């Protein structure tokens, strides 16, 4: 067995595995993430692999954030030298002004230094001395006090009587921290898992939920406090990509359970459904969820991953996860790279990182302090944002600065991530400075005046990267596969987003040609014009690490191939396939490659199951619970007929088993219950509504279906009747006005036997027009 650490990725992180370093008994280390009250400071975990630790960020958009506070017990009274691990975050750009200034207060008194004012890289800034008086063990308050609201950063605070500065060597610092914090030498064991999923974006959610429902015991590890990745309230990119299409229309069922349906990017935080994602995962008995846990190391045995090392970013406690199989859903292919998996990276001309932001006009003037350390922008050097509504169809009420605020095209896709995020912040603050203090785009103000009332509302401090490492599988999907619709026997995940690559927009290079911050999209219009392309399963496991799956933007694709599969819903569907394949690995004792070579038919069979299908364990039988009813629209246009007022046996669609993506409506007049549902995508994707019932008495019944007629409806909709005898398929023309109350039209008379299970199913199979499903009615025809 060997402990793997990829030096370029995680010099500091791998050192958590080193022997503990000696420490003086008088030394006190205060990790910023361990503060009892964070106040307005945010815990930033996205660069742990680069700088060695989570840190606290004062992301106040120009307004100082509330203090973070904690209490500390010193081992003895006396004079302590103070050091704070921080940096002047704009120094790496040779910019002046030190905007991230903050103070450290001990028992309410500030240390001698103002921090965040020196050094382009992370280091221990000396803070002078502090006198600690009183009895041993007495609590002393320590406070982080932000001075600017402009991205001040604090990693840790160190008090020592020796006066000796702490180590800053990436190979030593983590072990030194561990010794001072008194953590156990050995990590806490987390075992008993069939699948460990690292990464809680759409791909990780898809893999974890799918694997759990297939009977696998799953650990889901996410280094943020929320799930959803780029489509979370922290990043706020809308989720794109068509689901439930192609040969396996149930692929995407799980994604649609937790996805948002935002029409703007970025939107308000609530539309990204952070809580719903956690609720869905927590409802799965086979999933253990580990939020705010960062995977930093990998143990391998030959070509297999044996364990993943993880720290709780809130406490620095270390854990060790063992499993039969692992899924890298980190986006950056961190687990695969640490394990020695083959990967590729486009070093220049790759897609970059976005930090979305929003501002709005208010009722009164809002001051904005000049930002000389930001990009010096003037009118014409950045795009003026669009006014959008946070509600579909509503009045525009916020200025949205979209996906095109992007940088890092020629920067290192991993090593320069913090540099990219900070470039985006400098661009954003520079644009607001131009609007507020330079009179830029004054004519764009709806009032015809200046932007005096403009106020910065929100900016993502967590970056939304598009491209870094891509792990290599047994098949590497390329551009020619996609544009020529090359078919593979294991093609399964529909990708619908045209090949979409981003480049720096020359119009806005201006003063910063070497550090662009605005992009434009180039689409390959030959791709996916008429139908989805099915991405093969062989793109979802490593070709040289035998028990490693991957899903999301670290799947096995080329740079051009990534241009289509990288959108969130497509990534989530990859995860769904990975979860199902992992269950076959456990069931048959094979590796991911063996699923393709020996059990492909079984995998394709699992892909035909609805996403809600589940079994308690690998050996248990599948159960397919009824689909939840589709809720009525938020704004009811009309009221429907009460089913109890109609003759015969009437079942509304809320009592049916609904498969596929139907939409609720009350737009037309004559319907049953609170609403009806319609297939607004015509024949795309298999969609059915199935009513199961038993008649009270044997006999002949006229079967009627309720719908709202229109010329846009289909005239040959298949309806399957399961009555006495073999099932029959008849056709319904929904262009014709229905003659019976409630919008019902008959599809024939059939004999049903009491006590026997019967069913009526309406489908969109083979249709080109819209299909309406509302209710079924059975009216007795003989005495």
């Amino acid at each position: 067995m060997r402990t793997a650490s990829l030096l370029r990725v995680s010099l500091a992180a791998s050192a958590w595995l080193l022997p503990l370093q000696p420490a003086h008994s008088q030394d006190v280390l205060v990790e910023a993430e361990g503060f009892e009250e964070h106040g307005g400071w945010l815990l930033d975990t996205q660069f742990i692999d680069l700088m060695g630790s989570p840190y606290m960020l004062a992301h106040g958009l120009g307004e100082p954030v509330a203090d973070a506070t904690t209490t500390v017990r010193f081992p003895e009274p006396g004079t302590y030298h103070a050091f704070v691990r921080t940096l002047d975050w704009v120094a790496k750009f040779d910019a002046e002004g030190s905007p991230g200034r903050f103070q450290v207060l001990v028992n309410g008194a500030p240390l001698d230094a103002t921090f965040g004012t020196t050094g382009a890289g992370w280091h221990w800034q000396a803070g002078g001395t502090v006198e600690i008086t009183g009895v041993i063990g007495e609590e002393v308050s320590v406070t982080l006090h932000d001075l600017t609201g402009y991205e001040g950063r604090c990693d840790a605070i160190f008090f020592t009587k020796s006066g000796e500065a702490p180590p800053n060597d990436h190979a030593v610092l983590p072990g030194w921290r561990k010794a001072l914090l008194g953590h156990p030498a050995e990590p806490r064991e987390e075992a008993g898992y069939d699948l460990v999923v690292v990464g809680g974006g759409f791909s990780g959610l898809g893999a974890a939920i799918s694997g759990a429902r297939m009977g696998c015991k799953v650990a889901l590890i996410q280094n943020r406090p929320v799930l959803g990745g780029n489509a979370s309230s922290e990043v706020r990119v809308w989720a794109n990509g068509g689901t439930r299409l192609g040969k396996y229309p149930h692929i995407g069922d799980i994604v649609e359970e937790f996805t948002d349906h935002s029409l703007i990017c970025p939107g308000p935080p609530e539309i990204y459904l952070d809580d719903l994602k956690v609720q869905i995962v927590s409802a799965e008995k086979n999933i253990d969820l580990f939020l705010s846990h960062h995977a930093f190391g990998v143990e391998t045995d030959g070509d297999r991953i044996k364990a993943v090392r993880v720290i709780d970013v809130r406490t620095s406690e270390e854990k060790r996860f063992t499993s039969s199989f692992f899924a890298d859903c980190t986006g950056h292919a961190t687990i695969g790279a640490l394990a020695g998996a083959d990967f590729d990276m486009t070093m220049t001309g790759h897609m970059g990182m976005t930090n979305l932001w929003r501002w709005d006009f208010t009722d009164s003037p809002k001051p904005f302090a000049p930002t000389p350390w930001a990009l010096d922008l003037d009118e014409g050097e950045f795009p003026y944002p669009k006014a959008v509504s946070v509600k579909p169809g509503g009045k525009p009420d916020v200025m949205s600065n979209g996906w095109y605020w992007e940088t890092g095209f020629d920067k290192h896709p991993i090593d320069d991530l913090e540099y990219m995020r900070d470039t985006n912040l400098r661009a954003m603050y520079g644009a607001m400075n131009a609007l507020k203090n330079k009179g830029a785009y004054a004519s764009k103000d709806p009032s015809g005046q200046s932007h005096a009332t403009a106020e910065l509302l929100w900016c993502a401090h967590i970056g939304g990267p598009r491209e870094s490492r891509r792990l290599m599988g047994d098949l590497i999907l390329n551009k020619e596969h996609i544009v020529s619709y090359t078919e593979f026997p294991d093609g399964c995940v529909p990708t619908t987003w045209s090949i979409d690559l981003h480049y720096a927009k020359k119009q806005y290079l201006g003063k910063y040609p070497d550090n662009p911050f605005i992009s434009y999209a180039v689409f390959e219009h030959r791709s996916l014009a008429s139908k989805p392309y099915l991405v093969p399963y062989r793109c979802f496991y490593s070709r040289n690490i035998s028990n490693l799956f991957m899903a999301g933007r670290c799947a096995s694709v080329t740079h051009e191939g990534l241009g289509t599969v990288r959108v969130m819903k497509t990534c989530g569907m990859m995860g769904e396939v990975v979860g199902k394949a992992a269950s076959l690995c456990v069931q048959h004792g094979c590796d991911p490659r063996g699923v393709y070579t020996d059990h492909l038919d079984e995998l394709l069979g699992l892909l035909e199951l609805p996403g809600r299908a589940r079994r308690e364990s690998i050996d248990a039988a599948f159960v397919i619970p009824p689909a939840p009813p589709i809720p009525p629209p938020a704004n009811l246009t009309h009221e429907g007929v009460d089913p109890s007022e109609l003759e015969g046996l009437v079942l509304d669609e809320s009592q049916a088993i609904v498969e596929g993506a139907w939409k609720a409506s009350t737009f037309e007049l004559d319907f049953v219950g609170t609403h009806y549902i319609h297939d607004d995508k015509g024949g795309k994707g298999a969609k059915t509504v199935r009513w199961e019932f038993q008649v009270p008495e044997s006999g002949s019944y006229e079967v009627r279906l309720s719908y709202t007629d229109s010329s846009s409806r289909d005239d040959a909709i298949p309806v399957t009747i399961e009555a006495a005898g073999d099932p029959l398929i008849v056709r319904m023309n929904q262009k014709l006005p229905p003659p019976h109350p409630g919008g019902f039209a008959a599809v024939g008379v059939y004999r049903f036997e009491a006590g026997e299970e019967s069913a009526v199913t309406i489908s969109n199979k083979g249709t080109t027009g819209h299909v309406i499903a509302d209710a079924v009615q059975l009216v007795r025809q003989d005495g």
Side-chain angles (χ1 to χ4, degrees), residues 43 83 113 119 263 284 311 346 364 383 463 492 508 526 625 652-653 666 738 751 766:
L43 182 60
F83 297 87
L263 299 178
E284 297 293 335
I311 60 163
T346 300
S364 58
C492 54
Y508 298 111
R526 291 181 296 161
D652 190 32
E653 50 66 37
T666 60
R751 180 169 180 80

Short mmCIF file of all heavy atoms in Angstrom, two decimals, residues 43 83 113 119 263 284 311 346 364 383 463 492 508 526 625 652-653 666 738 751 766:
data_model
loop_
_atom_site.label_atom_id
_atom_site.label_comp_id
_atom_site.label_asym_id
_atom_site.label_seq_id
_atom_site.Cartn_x
_atom_site.Cartn_y
_atom_site.Cartn_z
N LEU A 43 -16.70 31.01 5.67
CA LEU A 43 -15.70 29.96 5.65
C LEU A 43 -15.45 29.55 4.20
O LEU A 43 -16.35 29.05 3.52
CB LEU A 43 -16.16 28.76 6.47
CG LEU A 43 -15.16 27.59 6.57
CD1 LEU A 43 -13.86 28.04 7.19
CD2 LEU A 43 -15.77 26.43 7.35
N PHE A 83 1.05 35.93 15.84
CA PHE A 83 1.24 35.82 14.39
C PHE A 83 -0.11 35.44 13.76
O PHE A 83 -0.84 34.61 14.31
CB PHE A 83 2.28 34.76 14.04
CG PHE A 83 3.66 35.05 14.56
CD1 PHE A 83 4.04 34.65 15.84
CD2 PHE A 83 4.58 35.74 13.78
CE1 PHE A 83 5.30 34.92 16.32
CE2 PHE A 83 5.85 36.01 14.26
CZ PHE A 83 6.23 35.60 15.54
N ALA A 113 -0.51 45.23 15.00
CA ALA A 113 -0.52 45.29 13.54
C ALA A 113 -1.94 45.32 12.98
O ALA A 113 -2.88 44.82 13.59
CB ALA A 113 0.23 44.08 12.97
N GLY A 119 2.62 40.99 1.98
CA GLY A 119 2.83 39.68 1.38
C GLY A 119 1.84 39.31 0.30
O GLY A 119 0.63 39.39 0.50
N LEU A 263 -34.87 30.75 -14.32
CA LEU A 263 -34.85 31.33 -15.66
C LEU A 263 -33.85 32.47 -15.77
O LEU A 263 -33.72 33.07 -16.85
CB LEU A 263 -36.26 31.83 -16.02
CG LEU A 263 -37.35 30.76 -16.04
CD1 LEU A 263 -38.70 31.40 -16.36
CD2 LEU A 263 -37.03 29.67 -17.05
N GLU A 284 -32.73 9.31 2.24
CA GLU A 284 -32.24 8.01 1.76
C GLU A 284 -31.51 7.30 2.90
O GLU A 284 -30.45 7.74 3.34
CB GLU A 284 -31.30 8.20 0.57
CG GLU A 284 -31.96 8.82 -0.65
CD GLU A 284 -33.00 7.91 -1.27
OE1 GLU A 284 -32.90 6.67 -1.09
OE2 GLU A 284 -33.91 8.43 -1.93
N ILE A 311 -10.83 15.70 5.98
CA ILE A 311 -10.90 16.51 7.20
C ILE A 311 -12.25 17.20 7.28
O ILE A 311 -12.82 17.60 6.26
CB ILE A 311 -9.77 17.56 7.31
CG1 ILE A 311 -9.83 18.53 6.13
CG2 ILE A 311 -8.43 16.91 7.46
CD1 ILE A 311 -9.04 19.81 6.38
N THR A 346 -6.28 20.82 -20.49
CA THR A 346 -5.97 21.83 -21.50
C THR A 346 -5.35 23.02 -20.78
O THR A 346 -6.02 23.68 -19.98
CB THR A 346 -7.24 22.25 -22.25
OG1 THR A 346 -7.80 21.10 -22.89
CG2 THR A 346 -6.94 23.32 -23.29
N SER A 364 -32.76 55.57 -2.68
CA SER A 364 -31.95 56.68 -2.18
C SER A 364 -30.49 56.47 -2.58
O SER A 364 -30.08 55.35 -2.89
CB SER A 364 -32.07 56.76 -0.65
OG SER A 364 -31.65 55.54 -0.06
N PRO A 383 -19.18 45.07 -20.19
CA PRO A 383 -20.56 45.09 -20.69
C PRO A 383 -21.53 45.56 -19.62
O PRO A 383 -21.45 45.14 -18.46
CB PRO A 383 -20.82 43.63 -21.07
CG PRO A 383 -19.88 42.85 -20.21
CD PRO A 383 -18.67 43.70 -20.00
N GLY A 463 -16.12 30.41 -6.59
CA GLY A 463 -16.02 30.45 -8.04
C GLY A 463 -16.78 29.32 -8.71
O GLY A 463 -16.95 28.24 -8.14
N CYS A 492 -25.79 6.10 -23.30
CA CYS A 492 -26.89 6.11 -22.34
C CYS A 492 -27.29 7.49 -21.84
O CYS A 492 -28.49 7.77 -21.66
CB CYS A 492 -26.56 5.20 -21.14
SG CYS A 492 -25.00 5.56 -20.32
N TYR A 508 -13.17 43.56 -24.92
CA TYR A 508 -12.97 44.05 -23.56
C TYR A 508 -11.57 43.76 -23.02
O TYR A 508 -11.36 43.79 -21.81
CB TYR A 508 -14.02 43.43 -22.64
CG TYR A 508 -15.43 43.81 -23.01
CD1 TYR A 508 -16.32 42.88 -23.53
CD2 TYR A 508 -15.87 45.13 -22.88
CE1 TYR A 508 -17.60 43.24 -23.89
CE2 TYR A 508 -17.15 45.50 -23.25
CZ TYR A 508 -18.02 44.55 -23.75
OH TYR A 508 -19.29 44.91 -24.11
N ARG A 526 -23.23 22.20 -35.69
CA ARG A 526 -23.56 20.88 -36.24
C ARG A 526 -24.00 19.92 -35.16
O ARG A 526 -24.58 18.88 -35.44
CB ARG A 526 -22.34 20.29 -36.94
CG ARG A 526 -21.93 20.99 -38.22
CD ARG A 526 -20.74 20.27 -38.82
NE ARG A 526 -19.57 20.34 -37.95
CZ ARG A 526 -18.52 19.52 -38.03
NH1 ARG A 526 -18.51 18.56 -38.93
NH2 ARG A 526 -17.49 19.66 -37.22
N PRO A 625 -42.31 2.74 -5.94
CA PRO A 625 -43.42 3.45 -5.28
C PRO A 625 -44.17 4.32 -6.28
O PRO A 625 -43.62 4.71 -7.33
CB PRO A 625 -42.72 4.29 -4.22
CG PRO A 625 -41.32 4.43 -4.70
CD PRO A 625 -41.00 3.22 -5.50
N ASP A 652 -58.89 11.15 -10.94
CA ASP A 652 -58.13 12.30 -11.43
C ASP A 652 -56.68 11.88 -11.68
O ASP A 652 -56.22 10.85 -11.18
CB ASP A 652 -58.21 13.43 -10.41
CG ASP A 652 -57.67 14.73 -10.95
OD1 ASP A 652 -57.79 14.97 -12.17
OD2 ASP A 652 -57.11 15.51 -10.17
N GLU A 653 -55.92 12.71 -12.44
CA GLU A 653 -54.52 12.33 -12.68
C GLU A 653 -53.69 12.38 -11.39
O GLU A 653 -52.63 11.76 -11.31
CB GLU A 653 -53.86 13.19 -13.76
CG GLU A 653 -53.95 14.66 -13.69
CD GLU A 653 -53.25 15.36 -12.55
OE1 GLU A 653 -52.16 14.96 -12.15
OE2 GLU A 653 -53.83 16.32 -12.05
N THR A 666 -53.97 25.20 -15.77
CA THR A 666 -55.40 25.46 -15.61
C THR A 666 -55.86 26.47 -16.66
O THR A 666 -56.87 27.15 -16.48
CB THR A 666 -55.71 26.01 -14.20
OG1 THR A 666 -54.98 27.24 -14.01
CG2 THR A 666 -55.30 25.02 -13.12
N PRO A 738 -64.40 17.40 -26.66
CA PRO A 738 -65.00 16.27 -25.92
C PRO A 738 -66.47 16.53 -25.63
O PRO A 738 -66.85 17.65 -25.24
CB PRO A 738 -64.17 16.23 -24.63
CG PRO A 738 -63.61 17.61 -24.49
CD PRO A 738 -63.43 18.16 -25.87
N ARG A 751 -65.20 -4.90 -21.13
CA ARG A 751 -65.67 -5.66 -19.99
C ARG A 751 -64.57 -5.70 -18.92
O ARG A 751 -63.41 -6.02 -19.20
CB ARG A 751 -66.05 -7.09 -20.38
CG ARG A 751 -66.57 -7.89 -19.18
CD ARG A 751 -67.20 -9.20 -19.54
NE ARG A 751 -67.66 -9.90 -18.35
CZ ARG A 751 -68.79 -9.63 -17.71
NH1 ARG A 751 -69.61 -8.70 -18.18
NH2 ARG A 751 -69.14 -10.31 -16.63
N GLY A 766 -44.92 8.08 -30.04
CA GLY A 766 -45.22 8.27 -31.45
C GLY A 766 -46.00 9.53 -31.77
O GLY A 766 -46.34 9.77 -32.94
#
